[in-house]
């Protein structure tokens, strides 16, 4: 009987998502730049702090050019198609229109292209916030842990 219980325990644990902390290193793609990211189960989607946003058209489609800066003050300019715009109601009821782009995010060994809204996160400690759309099914967030997963994704779909 104990062997059966141990077998069931092993089988159940194999299906559990990876356990990560509430703050982890994440690599974004394109560019493969490292960021310290807050993993927030209270947020539905991901967002990143953009600088110098410029809107333009390419082949008749809306695109956005913006700069991102990580904690080491390294910067990178990205040019991406705008997937859509979202209207978000802020804390004080004001509505804000935000562009959304598709970014690849790597945490641990999980890489997923996910919608990321471009929002001013200047007042926040972490320029990259990762929400449930990316986390669901991939990770269990342990609020007692930090920096427990190093980005080790295989080659990504974008250069």
């Amino acid at each position: 009987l104990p062997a059966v219980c141990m077998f069931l325990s092993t089988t159940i644990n194999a299906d559990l998502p990876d356990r990560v902390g509430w703050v982890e290193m994440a690599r974004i793609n394109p560019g493969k730049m490292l960021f310290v990211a807050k993993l927030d189960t209270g947020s539905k989607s991901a967002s990143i702090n953009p600088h110098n946003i410029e809107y333009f058209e390419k082949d008749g489609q809306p695109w956005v050019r913006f700069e991102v800066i990580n904690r080491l003050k390294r910067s990178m300019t990205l040019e991406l198609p705008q997937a859509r715009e979202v209207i978000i109601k802020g804390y004080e009821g004001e509505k804000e229109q935000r562009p959304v782009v598709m970014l690849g995010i790597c945490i641990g060994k999980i890489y997923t292209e996910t919608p990321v809204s471009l929002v001013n996160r200047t007042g926040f400690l972490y320029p990259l916030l990762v929400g449930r759309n990316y986390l669901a099914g991939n990770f269990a967030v342990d609020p007692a842990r930090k920096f427990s997963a190093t980005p080790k994704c295989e080659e990504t779909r974008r250069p």
Side-chain angles (χ1 to χ4, degrees):
L1 186 61
V4 171
C5 289
M6 186 168 16
F7 173 75
L8 288 175
S9 175
T10 302
T11 303
I12 291 169
N13 287 337
D15 292 336
L16 291 176
D18 290 346
R19 242 178 66 185
V20 293
W22 69 279
V23 175
E24 295 291 349
M25 293 304 298
R27 185 181 320 119
I28 65 165
N29 198 43
K32 299 185 179 182
M33 183 180 246
L34 283 173
F35 283 86
V36 177
K38 178 181 179 185
L39 281 50
D40 187 353
T41 61
S43 179
K44 183 177 178 184
S45 58
S47 62
I48 195 164
N49 188 29
H51 300 270
N52 306 317
I53 297 177
E54 297 176 45
Y55 299 91
F56 63 100
E57 273 193 26
K58 187 173 182 179
D59 299 324
Q61 301 298 317
W63 279 60
V64 63
R65 178 183 303 115
F66 58 99
E67 185 180 10
V68 290
I69 303 170
N70 70 10
R71 197 171 257 187
L72 298 174
K73 305 294 183 210
R74 292 195 175 116
S75 68
M76 173 176 64
T77 299
L78 297 172
E79 271 188 19
L80 296 168
Q82 185 174 315
R84 65 179 187 276
E85 283 190 341
V86 292
I87 298 176
I88 304 294
K89 189 161 62 166
Y91 293 115
E92 297 176 11
E94 74 281 357
K95 291 183 180 179
E96 180 183 350
Q97 201 166 343
R98 300 178 183 170
V100 176
V101 297
M102 294 299 290
L103 275 182
I105 299 178
C106 172
I107 298 174
K109 58 185 181 296
I110 303 293
Y111 174 82
T112 302
E113 290 202 9
T114 190
V116 177
S117 60
L118 306 182
V119 60
N120 183 349
R121 295 186 52 79
T122 303
F124 295 95
L125 191 54
Y126 306 104
L128 177 61
L129 180 131
V130 180
R132 293 187 309 271
N133 286 349
Y134 176 87
L135 299 169
N138 294 321
F139 299 104
V141 179
D142 182 344
R145 297 175 78 169
K146 288 172 42 174
F147 303 110
S148 58
T150 303
K152 296 179 183 172
C153 299
E154 295 296 321
E155 273 306 305
T156 55
R157 286 174 266 180
R158 292 190 195 184

